[in-house]
Amino acid sequence: MHTIAADGRLTRDAAETFTREGYLIVEDLFTDADLQPVIDEIIDEVDRRAGELVKSGDLSQSYAEYGFEHRLAHISAETDKLARAIWNGILDGPAVFHLITHPRLLDLAATFCGDEIIASSVYRLRPKIPGYAYGAVPWHQDSGYLEPFCDDALILTVWLPLVDATRERGCLWVIPRAHRGGVAPHRVHATKSYLEIPDEDLPPGEWTCCPVRKGGVLLLTNRCPHASFDNETDIVRWSMDLRYQSAALPTNAPITRLPGDAVPGDTVPIACYPPEADFLVRSRLRPDEVVRDPAEFQRLRREHEQRPVSDRWGKWWERGQTPQK
């Protein structure tokens, strides 16, 4: 079944499936060549940080003889300092920026977000390492991390593997159609690295495994419960997740507000996820405000003033200990 139409957006059937189920796998969106620049940036960062750890005495050797799919597993068997340093959205090189703003991804996002698209720089880099203490991610909804104001809107997650994400390697699981309900109660996980839905509050439904081959993506709504379990192989399951929304929703991107856009005020938050910087990636009405330069992407992220999300679960955490999406 074809999921992409001639204009780059999802076909009507595929879009209806996503709306009904809360998730959708889109295969063969990218070639290996499309993804290699990001992989190269990650390899360079791992190499640099491994060298620093060897110099500091925290690592006995750099394990440079191992490739992308295995090296971080060998390093992490000695120390988790490198894995924790690159986890989430630390990297902001040109290849990462060009992937976030890739026309094929924006075409997919436009299916649901319209032609005025905000990308959040709260992207996440996910190296699921065999035997790693923080490898499994508990059941949660992305809305659990966002401002309650945005619960009923769509914040589109694009989960993108950089290697084949199989069941054995710890691909994502979802609960189809559970996104039709509200946001379940969440609590801070025992590791203090995630939010989780307690077992007694987990929405009913059949747990569905979502393997995705390299080059494909998994689309999720912000209310779709999802989780990933342990990596049972010797390969690091590298992946990224990216987020997009309509520019009409709350955003801290430096853009001109148009009629109908949500404007921050007493009842409207500064952004759906205030801690990190948003930026405009596609616009017909504000084309001069679209961020097209990787250097501008880096500047926005590094100069952004962090603001906390509303303390909806009765406990707040400080930067550096924030549960991650």
Side-chain angles (χ1 to χ4, degrees):
M1 175 175 134
H2 297 289
T3 55
I4 304 297
D7 63 358
R9 302 192 183 204
L10 291 175
T11 63
R12 182 175 181 177
D13 286 347
E16 289 176 350
T17 297
F18 175 78
T19 300
R20 181 182 66 250
E21 302 295 316
Y23 78 100
L24 181 74
I25 296 173
V26 179
E27 297 182 337
D28 301 322
L29 188 66
F30 295 111
T31 66
D32 286 354
D34 292 328
L35 299 177
Q36 193 59 45
V38 169
I39 292 172
D40 289 341
E41 281 190 355
I42 295 171
I43 289 172
D44 289 346
E45 187 69 11
V46 169
D47 192 59
R48 184 182 70 81
R49 291 181 181 270
E52 292 176 352
L53 289 172
V54 170
K55 288 181 181 179
S56 67
D58 292 299
L59 189 63
S60 65
Q61 56 179 299
S62 67
Y63 296 99
E65 68 271 24
Y66 293 97
F68 180 64
E69 295 184 351
H70 294 92
R71 186 179 184 183
L72 190 59
H74 288 278
I75 292 171
S76 298
E78 283 195 47
T79 176
D80 69 352
K81 287 185 176 181
L82 199 157
R84 292 179 70 85
I86 64 173
W87 193 271
N88 298 314
I90 301 301
L91 304 186
D92 56 8
V96 168
F97 171 77
H98 289 307
L99 182 61
I100 292 173
T101 60
H102 197 289
R104 289 187 211 127
L105 288 182
L106 301 188
D107 287 341
L108 288 185
T111 304
F112 305 105
C113 302
D115 292 321
E116 304 293 313
I117 304 175
I118 293 289
S120 175
S121 64
V122 60
Y123 84 87
R124 298 301 183 210
L125 177 63
R126 300 296 198 190
K128 183 179 280 292
I129 304 162
Y132 189 55
Y134 302 100
V137 178
W139 285 104
H140 67 285
Q141 296 160 293
D142 284 349
S143 280
Y145 292 90
L146 306 178
E147 286 286 349
F149 183 93
C150 302
D151 284 351
D152 294 331
L154 174 65
I155 313 296
L156 178 69
T157 291
V158 179
W159 189 86
L160 187 157
L162 298 173
V163 300
D164 289 347
T166 65
R167 178 177 185 146
E168 295 76 19
R169 294 178 183 178
C171 66
L172 266 61
W173 291 67
V174 302
I175 304 179
R177 297 175 293 284
H179 69 295
R180 300 178 188 178
V183 179
H186 287 64
R187 66 186 178 194
V188 178
H189 187 256
T191 62
K192 304 212 184 318
S193 295
Y194 306 105
L195 290 176
E196 67 172 350
I197 301 173
D199 290 346
E200 62 270 20
D201 294 310
L202 193 63
E206 181 180 357
W207 296 9
T208 300
C209 183
C210 296
V212 183
R213 294 195 305 267
K214 180 182 177 183
V217 297
L218 170 65
L219 306 182
L220 299 168
T221 77
N222 41 298
R223 293 196 306 274
C224 177
H226 56 285
S228 67
F229 305 118
D230 288 334
N231 182 351
E232 299 173 351
T233 73
D234 63 351
I235 289 175
V236 178
R237 190 224 67 191
W238 289 96
S239 67
M240 298 175 67
D241 45 277
L242 317 175
R243 289 174 179 81
Y244 303 92
Q245 67 176 62
S246 166
L249 294 175
T251 177
N252 55 37
I255 60 173
T256 302
R257 306 290 177 170
L258 302 178
D261 288 356
V263 178
D266 292 341
T267 60
V268 180
I270 189 69
C272 289
Y273 189 70
E276 300 185 46
D278 296 336
F279 56 107
L280 190 67
V281 291
R282 176 174 286 182
S283 175
R284 290 189 302 106
L285 303 177
R286 295 163 278 210
D288 293 341
E289 298 175 18
V290 171
V291 176
R292 296 183 171 87
D293 184 357
E296 179 66 6
F297 167 68
Q298 293 174 340
R299 186 191 67 78
L300 284 171
R301 298 185 74 243
R302 295 175 184 182
E303 295 181 3
H304 178 68
E305 178 184 353
Q306 184 191 23
R307 302 189 184 192
V309 182
S310 298
D311 190 7
R312 68 191 303 185
W313 308 120
K315 182 177 181 179
W316 186 243
W317 38 85
E318 297 185 2
R319 188 170 178 80
Q321 300 175 326
T322 305
Q324 302 295 346
K325 296 192 297 186

